[in-house]
Amino acid sequence: MKPNMFLIGFMGTGKTTLGQMLADRTGMKFIDLDSQIEEQTGKKIEKIFEDEGEVWFRKKETEMLSEYITQSNQVFSTGGGIVLNPYNVELMKENGIVIALKAEVETLWERLKDSTNRPLLKNENPKEALRELYQQRMGLYDDAHISIQVDEYSPVELIQEIQAKISLFNSAHLW
Ligand code: S3P
């Protein structure tokens, strides 16, 4: 049985793109947790934040993770805030390989400055909001089996590095 793989990382690190590529390359099923939440609720993430609030969204995120994690052979792309709840991190670590995507805050700002669908950056000063969140959260992405610095690499280069690191990790661990 193949375990699951979980991509974690700050908004804009490329979790969805790389998760889809990894799933395609490995023949595993791709699960984008945010898309699943949108599908189940019939609402976009921004609308959920607006109507129900962040606390409600976080509960839904854990609920969805707990539901999908019962299956194996899946690549998960998670929302940037999944690591805020230590329970989610434990759940992922117990059920597969956790891969953290990391980037410098300047890289993230370049990627996110024109984004319209990130409720946590819908703010008078989105750059400052990004910096604050980055400072609060960066340490939380350290609790992963594998870490990849994404800044100046293309998705193809990154996916090769991720796959190489997964092979190394698997050769050192018996599942
Ligand atoms: C969030 C990141 C988003 C989404 C929601 C909250 C966060 O996902 O889950 O807006 O707290 O960092 P992405 O990381 O895919 O943007």
Side-chain angles (χ1 to χ4, degrees):
M1 179 181 85
K2 284 189 197 171
N4 293 305
M5 294 181 196
F6 302 91
L7 292 177
I8 65 167
F10 205 87
M11 293 174 259
T13 47
K15 301 177 295 276
T16 303
T17 306
L18 294 172
Q20 181 69 71
M21 286 171 79
L22 188 58
D24 290 346
R25 288 192 173 211
T26 53
M28 293 167 85
K29 188 172 172 194
F30 178 57
I31 308 278
D32 183 297
L33 273 190
D34 278 350
S35 302
Q36 295 301 328
I37 294 172
E38 290 185 334
E39 211 169 283
Q40 200 194 71
T41 57
K43 285 186 187 184
K44 292 277 172 204
I45 301 292
E46 309 96 271
K47 188 80 177 123
I48 298 175
F49 270 69
E50 233 174 85
D51 293 352
E52 271 83 31
E54 183 174 352
V55 172
W56 190 93
F57 172 79
R58 297 294 170 208
K59 273 170 79 180
K60 189 53 123 188
E61 199 171 37
T62 299
E63 210 177 284
M64 217 51 129
L65 176 67
S66 311
E67 185 181 322
Y68 279 97
I69 220 162
T70 56
Q71 310 283 317
S72 69
N73 229 11
Q74 308 168 107
V75 177
F76 285 82
S77 147
T78 62
I82 197 114
V83 293
L84 293 173
N85 183 344
Y87 172 77
N88 294 339
V89 179
E90 275 319 298
L91 207 56
M92 292 189 285
K93 287 181 79 182
E94 281 168 11
N95 285 279
I97 305 178
V98 179
I99 302 154
L101 304 180
K102 297 197 176 171
E104 299 297 334
V105 69
E106 291 76 18
T107 307
L108 295 174
W109 175 244
E110 280 310 308
R111 293 181 181 192
L112 294 167
K113 65 183 180 192
D114 299 322
S115 152
T116 53
N117 60 352
R118 298 318 204 290
L120 295 176
L121 301 181
K122 271 197 178 159
N123 191 293
E124 270 181 19
N125 190 342
K127 192 171 187 179
E128 199 42 46
L130 173 74
R131 275 190 190 286
E132 262 178 41
L133 275 179
Y134 186 87
Q135 279 184 354
Q136 285 163 14
R137 290 190 180 170
M138 277 327 277
L140 300 176
Y141 301 115
D142 290 340
D143 196 6
H145 297 117
I146 290 171
S147 278
I148 308 275
Q149 195 70 28
V150 301
D151 300 85
E152 70 262 39
Y153 301 104
S154 70
V156 171
E157 287 169 323
L158 288 169
I159 213 73
Q160 279 166 358
E161 193 186 343
I162 290 172
Q163 287 196 288
K165 286 196 172 179
I166 290 171
S167 296
L168 251 178
F169 181 84
N170 275 332
S171 63
H173 291 80
L174 289 178
W175 287 97

